[in-house]
Amino acid sequence: YTIIVIYTVLYTIIVIYTVLYTIIVMYTVLIYYYRDVHCLVYYRSLHRYLLAGLDKLDKAGKGNPWICRRRLLCLVDEPHRSHTLVFVQDTPAIAMRTCEYVKAFNINIDSRKTFVRVGLGLNHNPEDIDRFLEALSWYTNNEKELASILEKGPKDKRPTLL
């Protein structure tokens, strides 16, 4: 009788463990699936918002010649893009200058060779994109003034849109 009780208890423990393990695995899979789908939809909406803003600046005559739709590098279709948008520049010097000017507005942007990379992640929102577009517009219309500010003053004296 004792052996039957021990086997029954062990069997019950194994069944409970298996059920709990299955629930945890399913929960983890669902969380990762939701995160991936949510990220993809969120990135797409931010990309569309940024590109619509760039188009609006171009139509208003305030567009930036270096970060615009015609310079967007699209290696993959929209559903498969990462959170980063890449804009092709003519030379590495232009890419570096564009990044330096936009960074003056406390906006995270970087360059790699002749590419300017704008990363839009889950910690970004449309207000960040509006700030970025405002920085591009200001930079386009005041490039000489911004160049002199960057040459003269320390970084904490740079214009900020935060």
Side-chain angles (χ1 to χ4, degrees), residues 89-100:
Q89 308 302 301
D90 294 335
T91 66
I94 291 172
M96 287 174 44
R97 184 192 69 197
T98 300
C99 285
E100 181 182 323

Side-chain angles (χ1 to χ4, degrees), residues 43-56:
Y43 295 155
R44 268 194 272 179
S45 67
L46 287 179
H47 290 176
R48 287 179 184 153
Y49 188 78
L50 174 62
L51 294 174
L54 290 174
D55 291 344
K56 190 184 296 183

Side-chain angles (χ1 to χ4, degrees), residues 36 38-54 67 72 78 81-87 102 107-110 116-133 136:
D36 290 346
H38 175 71
C39 289
L40 182 62
V41 170
Y42 190 69
Y43 295 155
R44 268 194 272 179
S45 67
L46 287 179
H47 290 176
R48 287 179 184 153
Y49 188 78
L50 174 62
L51 294 174
L54 290 174
I67 299 181
L72 179 64
E78 182 184 22
R81 286 188 201 143
S82 74
H83 67 285
T84 304
L85 291 176
V86 179
F87 297 89
V102 174
I107 293 171
N108 191 13
I109 185 172
D110 73 340
V116 171
R117 300 173 68 235
V118 179
L120 303 170
L122 288 176
N123 55 337
H124 294 93
N125 55 43
E127 290 79 25
D128 294 329
I129 293 174
D130 289 338
R131 192 166 47 86
F132 174 68
L133 293 169
L136 283 179

